[in-house]
Amino acid sequence: MTPLTSLPASAATARYELDPVHTRVLFAVSHAGYSQALGTVSGSRGTLEFDPEDWSSARLDVSVPLQRVDLGDEGWNRATLARNLLDAGRWPEARFVSTRVEPLAADRFIVHGQLTLRGVTREVPLEVRFNSLHRHPMPPFRRTAGFSAHARLSRAAFGIDAWPNVIGDEVELRIEAEAVRARGAGDAADDPDTLPDAEPGDDVEAVPGEAMPATVPPGAATDPAATGTERHENEPA
C-alpha cells in the first residue's frame, strides 16, 4: 500500500484546519477495576486534506497538547503529567499522522496512522464517522467538516506502564472534531468577501442573543403592526 504522503492530491481535495475550540479528545481507563476514569484534552491543532468523494486520498496530521489533560482533579492532573506516566515535561505533545485511509461506507472509514506518544511511535487505527460538511451558520461562515472517532490502545505499548494495579492498560479514545476550510484554498464560495447566497442545506441560523440582519423589500409596509414589531401596553421598550 502506497503511503498517502506520496500520493498526489486530487482536484477535489481541499485543505482544512482543525478548530481547537470544537475538537476534543476524551479518554477512558480503568481505575483499579472500580470504574472507568475519564479525562479530556482540548486545544488540538492540525490539518486535514480530503475529497469527500474519495476518502482514500485523505491526509491527517494532528498535534494534541498533553499539558491540557483534565481529569477533574488537580492532583490527578499532576500525577498524569508526571515523568512516570505521560512525562509531559519532556514530551508535551502527542502527534497522529495518517498513513492510509480505508473507506467502509460513504460516511465511515478507518484512518490508519502513526501515533507518537511519550517519544514512542506505534500504528493506531481510528474508526471515523463523517458527520457533516457545509457552510457554518455563524461568522465567518466558512465551510466546516465534522467527525467523530474511536480508538483503543495499550498504554504499555508507549512505555507508560506505571501503577499497573491502579491504572488499566487499555485506553479507550473518543474524539470529536471540527475542521474549517483553510483560507486561500481556492474556493471563492468560502471567502466572506465573495460569499454568495446560501446553498441548499446551508441555512444560516440566528445566533442566540444576537439580532440577525434584516432587509426590507422596496415598497414593503413599515407600519409596526404590519411587521409584527408593535409593543403592547406595559411592554418594556
Side-chain angles (χ1 to χ4, degrees):
M1 180 68 68
T2 303
L4 289 185
T5 51
S6 65
L7 292 175
S10 71
T13 297
R15 184 173 182 270
Y16 290 73
E17 297 173 348
L18 282 186
D19 178 351
V21 176
H22 295 102
T23 298
R24 182 162 294 190
V25 179
L26 181 146
F27 59 90
V29 62
S30 174
H31 175 227
Y34 295 115
S35 66
Q36 292 291 304
L38 301 177
T40 62
V41 186
S42 59
S44 296
R45 296 183 180 274
T47 58
L48 169 65
E49 296 180 16
F50 75 98
D51 172 2
E53 301 300 324
D54 180 15
W55 287 106
S56 65
S57 64
R59 301 171 175 86
L60 175 65
D61 188 339
V62 180
S63 294
V64 181
L66 298 181
Q67 294 286 358
R68 299 191 66 169
V69 163
D70 183 11
L71 288 97
D73 178 81
E74 288 299 326
W76 269 107
N77 291 349
R78 287 193 298 270
T80 301
L81 298 173
R83 189 160 185 170
N84 62 340
L85 289 176
L86 290 179
D87 197 4
R90 290 196 298 171
W91 309 102
E93 291 185 335
R95 186 181 181 193
F96 181 86
V97 180
S98 65
T99 54
R100 63 186 178 92
V101 178
E102 178 184 349
L104 301 179
D107 62 345
R108 293 181 183 273
F109 39 92
I110 298 177
V111 178
H112 299 268
Q114 298 288 319
L115 174 64
T116 300
L117 178 63
R118 206 174 183 267
V120 178
T121 301
R122 295 282 185 268
E123 178 84 12
V124 173
L126 296 178
E127 299 178 14
V128 180
R129 183 180 72 228
F130 176 40
N131 297 324
S132 179
L133 173 62
H134 61 268
R135 185 175 299 125
H136 200 285
M138 295 175 62
F141 306 111
R142 302 198 66 78
R143 197 165 300 280
T144 300
F147 304 87
S148 300
H150 292 83
R152 294 178 185 272
L153 57 86
S154 162
R155 67 184 183 98
F158 293 87
I160 309 172
D161 53 8
W163 301 356
N165 295 327
V166 178
I167 303 174
D169 179 58
E170 183 180 79
V171 180
E172 180 182 1
L173 301 177
R174 174 181 172 182
I175 302 161
E176 297 294 331
E178 294 183 18
V180 180
R181 181 144 181 165
R183 294 187 180 277
D187 188 351
D190 285 330
D191 187 336
D193 294 331
T194 59
L195 189 66
D197 292 337
E199 300 173 356
D202 282 355
D203 295 332
V204 178
E205 300 172 354
V207 180
E210 296 184 14
M212 293 295 291
T215 58
V216 179
T222 56
D223 180 73
T227 60
T229 58
E230 74 274 20
R231 290 191 295 115
H232 297 284
E233 187 176 358
N234 298 327
E235 180 181 349

